[in-house]
Amino acid sequence: SEQFYGGLRYNSVSNQLDQSVDRFQLAAGWFIIEQIALKLEYVNQNYNEFLTAYGEDAGFNGVMFEAAISF
């Protein structure tokens, strides 16, 4: 019964207008017991070549903490 886990994810999508979105995630988690999990995650999401009206420099960069309880 393993209690700890780690993960890495990279997603990228683009369209015909050369606009793109890319997202990098690095996560680590711990199952306290079988029904309760804690996760700490770093996320960096970027929007590239979008118009100023839609948020030319939009994106997200930060840390998320999550707790989950399953029944």
Side-chain angles (χ1 to χ4, degrees):
S1 67
E2 298 177 6
Q3 292 180 300
F4 299 96
Y5 69 91
L8 178 67
R9 180 183 355 190
Y10 178 78
N11 297 78
S12 180
V13 64
S14 61
N15 63 17
Q16 296 173 344
L17 301 174
D18 292 327
Q19 298 170 327
S20 65
V21 178
D22 57 80
R23 181 178 179 116
F24 170 78
Q25 293 175 256
L26 179 63
W30 173 38
F31 285 95
I32 298 172
I33 61 174
E34 189 175 342
Q35 294 84 11
I36 300 175
L38 297 176
K39 181 169 75 168
L40 182 64
E41 187 171 320
Y42 169 76
V43 179
N44 184 359
Q45 182 168 315
N46 299 304
Y47 294 82
N48 306 305
E49 304 300 326
F50 280 78
L51 300 174
T52 305
Y54 298 113
E56 181 179 4
D57 295 324
F60 174 80
N61 183 7
V63 177
M64 295 189 302
F65 178 75
E66 179 181 348
I69 301 173
S70 60
F71 297 89

